[in-house]
Amino acid sequence: MTTIAAGVVNSWLPLAPILTPLGLGLLALAPLRRPLQVGVLLGGMALTLLFACLLLAATGDGTVLVSALGGWSAPFGIVMAADRLAAYMSVLGAVSGLFAAWFMVTEQDRVRERHHAFALLLLLMTGVQLSFLTGDLFNLFVAFEVMLVASYALAVLGSGREQLREGFRYIVMNLTASALLVLACGLTYGVLGTLNFAHLAQRSAELGPNTTVTAVSVLLLIVFAAKGALFPLGFWLPGTYPALPTASGTFFAAVLTKVGVYALLRVFTTVFPQDPALPQSLLLGLGAVTMLYGALGAVSQREWRRILSFTVVGSVGYLAFGLGIGTPEALRATVAYLAVSVLVTLALFLIAGVAERASGTRNVKARGFLEFMPLLAACFLLCALTVAGLPPSGGFIAKFALVRAGLAQAAAQGSPLIVVAVVSALLSSLITLYALLSVWRGFFWGKHPREEPVRRVPLAQRLPAYLASALVAGLSLGAGPLLAFSGTVARELGEPGRYIRGVLGTAPVVIPPPPTGDDVQKKDGPKEEKK
């Protein structure tokens, strides 16, 4: 690692989790034999996870790593910036990508593989990593587009009627959100003269509470709420994810909504923390409604992945609830719940894929599979308790911390909105528990009708679900370290000066004068005299 300006640590590491899946994704487009394609996909995901873990270790002491492309430092050049939060999200995204790739390989869907499903999954991972590690707002838009182009293709690959219908809705919704993001970028640049996150934070701090900046931040909130599937902007999610193949749907469900949540965290804690009242009220309101919408939606469904898709919506509501409270305790719980939500969603969608394969139906009323799949039943029960937030699961610890932070803030402010959000959080947990226990009772409990055959699912396809469930169990055992780490991340989010100094350095930003002809000549060297 080197320094390019006082206080800035320049490193190649923030680029590695982006360039690795990008390079191997392009390689996967080549006409290789299937074993080589599989090696490229799994190797690319494993290397991405390795680099993400190295990034997390390198930022473990609070260092902010920066990759300045072309040697142009922030705020004038394009930079990738990694602090603890970005590295943490990078690891969660990489873990989900590796498990989804593993399941995709075991599905052996030759039609989709011939249409470059492996390459598309790697390109989707590129967009996800870029969105976590980019250091400016416009490149966040670029990351969304890279991610969405790949996800569009994965969403409609196969050309089933349901896929095309739901894929079209997904595309229209996300294109609309992207158009609004471009508009927000233009307004932000017009108001503050920069798009670099650290420089935006510096400029907005100089302005203090400002109505125009607040309006821009609310526009960004709407964009990221749509990406994160907060109610009512997340209407597309419960129909889209079940229409996808299991592997793609698993990655979408575990990670894509969290990209929107990460953007909300970054913008409202690092970039625009000066006037939080209106954004926090909006997040509290949207979070409260989203939690209930997700829970009630889960109860109303009868298919595996439709039920789970509504639980994804509900989990985003909890994250918005934590952001809306906005205290250090609430941010700590929110950061911890991010890991819980990503891992338990990953495990549940993989379990659903195995269950659908074994029963040959998407309906959860298959009955009697406890006899044939006791380990899968145990894994599902563990994940159900985690989603509902019951002890001793990791979900209980994170949700308890969220509710406690909400009650403390309600007592301090006397805000009825926070009280409503806390009640909504508790109520939606109970409803979600009922919905998931109904799934367990419907699919695993009882006597299996002998006239309906049980299809054999190979161990290689069940193993990702078991290992993902083991990670969920690990959240209970590692709850203490997770909360300690989350507390450190929350403290850093409460001190944006650390991120600003890490990206911009300690010297004041000076706008360089425009180059003159003499400067260009000096840079290019003396011109040869014409003979």
Side-chain angles (χ1 to χ4, degrees):
M1 289 183 287
T2 59
T3 56
I4 55 175
V8 179
V9 181
N10 192 33
S11 166
W12 56 272
L13 262 179
L15 278 175
I18 302 166
L19 294 182
T20 302
L22 175 63
L24 291 172
L26 295 176
L27 179 62
L29 291 171
L32 304 174
R33 290 181 178 276
R34 188 175 189 275
L36 283 175
Q37 292 269 0
V38 169
V40 168
L41 175 63
L42 294 179
M45 291 298 186
L47 274 175
T48 304
L49 177 58
L50 173 66
F51 287 129
C53 290
L54 289 176
L55 199 56
L56 187 62
T59 55
D61 60 353
T63 301
V64 179
L65 297 181
V66 172
S67 290
L69 303 188
W72 287 86
S73 57
F76 307 108
I78 297 172
V79 296
M80 300 299 122
D83 59 351
R84 275 196 184 98
L85 176 64
Y88 171 67
M89 296 305 298
S90 175
V91 170
L92 291 175
V95 168
S96 305
L98 181 59
F99 275 86
W102 185 356
F103 199 90
M104 181 177 275
V105 169
T106 62
E107 276 185 317
Q108 299 199 20
D109 188 339
R110 300 303 171 92
V111 175
R112 287 190 172 85
E113 289 175 18
R114 276 201 300 275
H115 289 86
H116 304 296
F118 291 174
L120 289 170
L121 193 62
L122 283 164
L123 292 177
L124 183 57
M125 173 61 81
T126 304
V128 167
Q129 294 291 336
L130 180 58
S131 62
F132 292 147
L133 296 170
T134 183
D136 69 80
L137 194 57
F138 184 76
N139 280 302
L140 182 60
F141 163 74
V142 174
F144 281 157
E145 292 312 293
V146 172
M147 193 168 58
L148 292 175
V149 166
S151 62
Y152 298 157
L154 282 170
V156 300
L157 206 59
S159 301
R161 182 179 298 177
E162 185 184 6
Q163 274 185 279
L164 290 175
R165 186 184 64 244
E166 298 299 336
F168 180 74
R169 190 157 56 172
Y170 174 76
I171 288 168
V172 170
M173 184 63 204
N174 280 283
L175 281 178
T176 306
S178 295
L180 282 178
L181 181 53
V182 173
L183 177 64
C185 286
L187 292 174
T188 305
Y189 193 80
V191 174
L192 296 169
T194 182
L195 291 176
N196 180 276
F197 286 146
H199 202 204
L200 278 172
Q202 201 176 55
R203 299 295 295 269
S204 63
E206 288 166 2
L207 277 177
N210 180 284
T211 307
T212 309
V213 174
T214 302
V216 170
S217 68
V218 169
L219 180 58
L220 288 171
L221 186 152
I222 293 169
V223 172
F224 299 140
K227 301 284 184 186
L230 281 172
F231 184 87
L233 302 170
F235 63 86
W236 50 271
L237 191 151
T240 303
Y241 288 1
L244 294 164
T246 302
S248 309
T250 298
F251 191 56
F252 278 45
V255 174
L256 293 199
T257 52
K258 308 309 178 299
V259 174
V261 173
Y262 166 79
L264 286 169
L265 254 177
R266 179 63 73 200
V267 166
F268 290 103
T269 58
T270 305
V271 180
F272 298 128
Q274 278 72 37
D275 192 13
L278 179 60
Q280 285 185 349
S281 298
L282 286 172
L283 285 168
L284 269 175
L286 292 175
V289 178
T290 304
M291 286 185 279
L292 280 177
Y293 170 67
L296 293 172
V299 170
S300 68
Q301 300 298 314
R302 293 293 176 269
E303 292 184 3
W304 270 99
R305 283 186 285 155
R306 285 191 182 276
I307 295 169
L308 298 182
S309 294
F310 275 105
T311 65
V312 173
V313 174
S315 72
V316 176
Y318 281 96
L319 293 166
F321 167 54
L323 270 169
I325 298 168
T327 61
E329 181 64 23
L331 289 179
R332 183 179 76 131
T334 304
V335 173
Y337 191 70
L338 268 169
V340 173
S341 176
V342 168
L343 294 180
V344 79
T345 302
L346 176 71
L348 278 172
F349 270 75
L350 291 171
I351 290 170
V354 174
E356 287 176 355
R357 178 65 63 91
S359 62
T361 175
R362 293 182 173 186
N363 200 303
V364 295
K365 299 294 182 186
R367 299 189 67 81
F369 275 80
L370 179 62
E371 176 185 352
F372 308 108
M373 298 178 145
L375 185 53
L376 196 75
C379 290
F380 180 80
L381 194 57
L382 168 70
C383 292
L385 295 179
T386 304
V387 172
L390 290 187
S393 68
F396 166 73
I397 294 154
K399 281 192 175 180
F400 177 74
L402 273 173
V403 170
R404 191 174 61 178
L407 290 174
Q409 191 67 356
Q413 291 187 353
S415 166
L417 182 57
I418 299 179
V419 175
V420 169
V422 169
V423 172
S424 174
L426 296 172
L427 198 56
S428 63
S429 280
L430 288 175
I431 299 171
T432 303
L433 178 65
Y434 172 78
L436 294 182
L437 288 182
S438 297
V439 174
W440 196 89
R441 194 175 62 249
F443 189 82
F444 293 106
W445 197 248
K447 191 172 179 59
H448 183 75
R450 296 296 173 190
E451 63 276 11
E452 295 181 10
V454 177
R455 293 166 176 78
R456 182 180 172 278
V457 183
L459 178 62
Q461 201 162 37
R462 285 178 280 143
L463 208 49
Y466 297 155
L467 290 180
S469 301
L471 292 179
V472 174
L475 289 172
S476 305
L477 302 174
L482 176 63
L483 282 176
F485 174 82
S486 303
T488 308
V489 174
R491 280 195 298 277
E492 286 185 2
L493 292 174
E495 301 169 2
R498 178 191 289 269
Y499 181 85
I500 295 169
R501 288 190 299 275
V503 175
L504 299 180
T506 51
V509 174
V510 177
I511 299 175
T516 63
D518 291 340
D519 295 332
V520 174
Q521 189 172 345
K522 284 176 187 173
K523 188 176 178 182
D524 294 342
K527 291 181 179 177
E528 292 183 4
E529 294 184 0
K530 293 181 179 178
K531 293 180 181 179

